[in-house]
């Protein structure tokens, strides 16, 4: 037979889970800092291969996907508030290249950061004098979208589908 589990294994798994939770809290604040996989694994005290496995098991996402989603969510908030250029938002959210920022944003949101800001700002005036929840359809160069307004959560970009025909 193989090695048998000792009671200590469960205690260390529990402490590993605690370490991961602390690390996730750390990421919520430090998502914009450069953090290679190796360094992330070191913070937990495991190999990068083991880190990759346990991180995915713990969060349901790869480390890079998780970090990207934190960065894009932060970018979304900055884009909604206006007053900050897209290149400044790119840097504030931890990207060193505009192309990777644009690529990741588009992959998660279905549009570029600039388009997202335009959708958001263009629709704000439509919602100024309304009292109930509303949904708007719109067409853009990058496809068809739906924006919904809810009293509880404000304005949300719901979905942008690819255009049906490509030139």
């Amino acid at each position: 037979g193989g090695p048998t589990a000792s009671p200590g294994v469960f205690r260390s798994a529990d402490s590993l889970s605690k370490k991961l939770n602390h690390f996730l809290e750390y990421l919520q604040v430090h998502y914009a800092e450069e953090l290679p996989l190796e360094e992330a694994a070191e913070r937990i005290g495991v190999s990068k291969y083991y880190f990759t496995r346990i991180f995915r098991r713990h969060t349901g996402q790869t480390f890079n996907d998780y970090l990207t989603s934190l960065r894009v969510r932060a970018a979304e908030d900055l884009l909604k508030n206006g007053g900050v250029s897209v290149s400044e938002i790119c840097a504030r959210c931890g990207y060193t290249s505009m192309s990777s920022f644009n690529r990741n944003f588009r992959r998660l949101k279905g549009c570029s950061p600039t388009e997202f800001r335009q959708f958001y700002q263009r629709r704000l005036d439509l919602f100024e004098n309304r009292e109930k929840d509303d949904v708007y359809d719109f067409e853009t160069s990058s496809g068809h979208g739906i924006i919904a307004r809810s009293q509880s959560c404000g304005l949300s970009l719901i979905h942008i589908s690819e255009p049906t025909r490509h030139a």
Side-chain angles (χ1 to χ4, degrees), residues 40-88:
E42 272 175 36
R43 284 182 169 276
I44 306 290
V46 296
S47 77
K48 71 176 184 178
Y49 305 104
Y50 188 53
F51 176 81
T52 301
R53 273 207 316 278
I54 61 171
F55 191 91
R56 185 171 203 141
R57 193 179 313 142
H58 195 78
T59 64
Q61 289 180 288
T62 67
F63 173 64
N64 283 331
D65 284 350
Y66 187 87
L67 191 54
T68 296
S69 67
L70 287 179
R71 288 174 171 177
V72 167
R73 199 172 312 133
E76 238 184 295
D77 291 339
L78 289 167
L79 288 163
K80 286 176 183 176
N81 294 332
V84 184
S85 72
V86 173
S87 57
E88 172 68 17

Side-chain angles (χ1 to χ4, degrees), residues 34 71 90-91 94-101:
E34 190 182 340
R71 288 174 171 177
C90 167
Y95 288 95
T96 52
S97 116
M98 271 299 276
S99 63
S100 68
F101 173 55

Side-chain angles (χ1 to χ4, degrees), residues 131-151:
E131 291 176 19
K132 63 183 181 52
D133 293 358
D134 289 298
V135 175
Y136 293 92
D137 284 327
F138 58 92
E139 292 291 335
T140 71
S141 60
S142 57
H144 178 81
I146 299 169
I147 285 192
R149 176 186 180 273
S150 148
Q151 289 176 316

Side-chain angles (χ1 to χ4, degrees), residues 73-132:
R73 199 172 312 133
E76 238 184 295
D77 291 339
L78 289 167
L79 288 163
K80 286 176 183 176
N81 294 332
V84 184
S85 72
V86 173
S87 57
E88 172 68 17
I89 291 171
C90 167
R92 280 197 203 177
C93 293
Y95 288 95
T96 52
S97 116
M98 271 299 276
S99 63
S100 68
F101 173 55
N102 281 322
R103 187 173 54 251
N104 284 325
F105 195 95
R106 186 178 290 279
R107 185 168 52 88
L108 291 182
K109 303 309 296 180
C111 61
S112 75
T114 303
E115 287 170 327
F116 181 87
R117 171 174 272 167
Q118 288 166 350
F119 297 147
Y120 194 83
Q121 290 173 346
R122 197 180 303 141
R123 299 301 156 194
L124 280 176
D125 58 325
L126 288 176
F127 300 132
E128 288 304 310
N129 301 315
R130 299 190 182 260
E131 291 176 19
K132 63 183 181 52

